Structure formats: C-alpha cells, structure tokens
C-alpha cells in the first residue's frame, strides 16, 4: 500500500514533485511557465471505421511527467487490489496483464457478439470529472490541492488528451462506474460484458439477442443499433457495429 498511502498523505506541490521524482521548480515550470500552446503537438490520424482522430502528443518534458504519473497510478491500482474486495476487472485495454486477446476470449463461441464504439472516449472525460475522481472516489480521497495538480498534469483544454501517457490509466479509473453498471445490465439479460479502451462488447448464446440492448436497424439491415434506454445517464454517446 506504499504508493496509494503516500499519495493520500500528499498535501503540497512539493509532495507531488517528490512522488514523481521531479524538483518542485521543474514541476511548476512545466505546469505554469510553458505556454499551453507549446505543451502539445496536435495532428489527426485516420480512424479504423472512418473519420479522423485528433492526437495530442505532449512535448518531451511534459511526456516524462505524465509517464511518471501513469506509473504512480498503476502502482496505486495494484495497491488498491488488496485494499478492497478483489473483483474481476471489466477493462482489458491499458490494464497490466490484459490485452485484446483476453478481451476476445470472453466472447469466444457465442451466438451473438455486439460491439459498440464509445464516441470521443478520451475527450469526453473532462477536468472536473478527473479531479472529482481523485477527491471523491473512495479508492483515492486525495487532498483537493493535490487532486488539482494531478488533473493539471493529466488534462489539457478541459479534456483527457488522446496521446498522453497517463490518459489510459485515468480513463479506466473513470470508466470503472460505467463498466460496473453495464456489466450488471448485461447480467440481467444473460449477456457477458467487457471493454477494451473505447470498444465495449456484449455477447450471448441466447437464441435471440436481447432487444433491450440492441437490434437490427431494419429487417434486412446488416448493421445494428444500440437501444439508448439501456444506457445510464452517465454513459457517453455510442455508435454501434455488428
């Protein structure tokens, strides 16, 4: 429990700098002296399903800081596994010991496999949501000033940037509630649920796929659509593919 306990005891920027192996002045310079316009290099990449995705790659000094925050948070996650009753993680992307293969194995030999793409997954996670996680989530309960600094390291332009080394682990921490709710919903309808990054999957061997989750757009359509009423108010917009 060393990492999470040290983080919970942190109060000042000096404490955070020590945890991340930075000098206080070096941490302050990156956060408050480098102009925002110079902190990231932004460029689009082609998405697998069409369209473009905006990548924001942090400059080297900020990237190093974010990498160290990511390591700290991953270590905290490992600590927390012994602090709370062990539960099977529903996320397979950005998780130690898990992969796209472990995600796919859950849905092997199922009659139906329904895949959904969470739109703008990283950008939908804003500054307030990340800071609120660090302050209010029982896994962290950090000092508000510490939560603010950690969120300033992680976020840019009021969102979790895709391209930051610490965005993946934070997205899984934020997505934990979404995963838990959708897994309970899936179980109600005799389905298996999992998430790999921004792709979520429901599968079942029932003779008919539960229409409470998704259904064909038309009798002759190859593509399906998600049933919006199946999703809680905390979930983000979805697009579906069969």
């Amino acid at each position: 429990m060393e990492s999470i306990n040290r983080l919970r005891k942190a109060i000042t920027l000096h404490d955070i700098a020590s945890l991340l192996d930075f000098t206080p002045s070096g941490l302050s310079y990156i956060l408050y002296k480098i102009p925002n316009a110079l902190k990231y290099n932004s460029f689009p990449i082609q998405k697998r399903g069409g369209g473009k995705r905006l990548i924001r790659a942090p400059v080297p000094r900020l990237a190093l800081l974010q990498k160290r925050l990511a390591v700290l948070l991953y270590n905290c996650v490992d600590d927390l596994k012994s602090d709370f009753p062990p539960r099977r993680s529903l996320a397979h992307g950005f998780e130690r010991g898990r992969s796209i293969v472990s995600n796919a194995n859950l849905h092997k030999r199922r009659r139906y496999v329904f895949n959904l793409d969470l739109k703008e997954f990283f950008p939908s996670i804003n500054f307030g949501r990340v800071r609120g996680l660090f302050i209010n989530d029982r896994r962290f309960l950090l000092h508000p000033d510490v939560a603010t600094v950690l969120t300033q390291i992680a976020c840019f332009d009021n969102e979790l940037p895709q391209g930051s080394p610490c965005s993946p682990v934070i997205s899984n921490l934020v997505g934990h509630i979404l995963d838990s709710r959708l897994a309970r919903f899936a179980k109600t309808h005799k389905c298996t649920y999992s998430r790999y990054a921004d792709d979520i999957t429901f599968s079942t061997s029932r003779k008919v796929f539960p229409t409470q989750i998704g259904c064909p757009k038309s009798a002759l359509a190859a593509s399906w659509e998600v049933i919006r009423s199946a999703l809680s108010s905390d979930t983000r917009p979805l697009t579906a593919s069969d």
Side-chain angles (χ1 to χ4, degrees), residues 23 32 53 66 89 93 103 119 127 134 161 193 211 214 222 236:
T23 63
Y32 309 122
R53 188 190 311 275
Q66 291 175 336
S89 175
N103 184 66
K119 295 176 67 174
F127 188 99
F134 289 135
Y193 167 87
T211 55
R236 298 305 180 193

Side-chain angles (χ1 to χ4, degrees), residues 24-39:
S25 59
L27 176 56
S28 294
Y29 179 82
I30 293 172
L31 291 183
Y32 309 122
K33 297 297 183 181
I34 299 178
N36 284 340
L38 300 180
K39 287 182 177 179

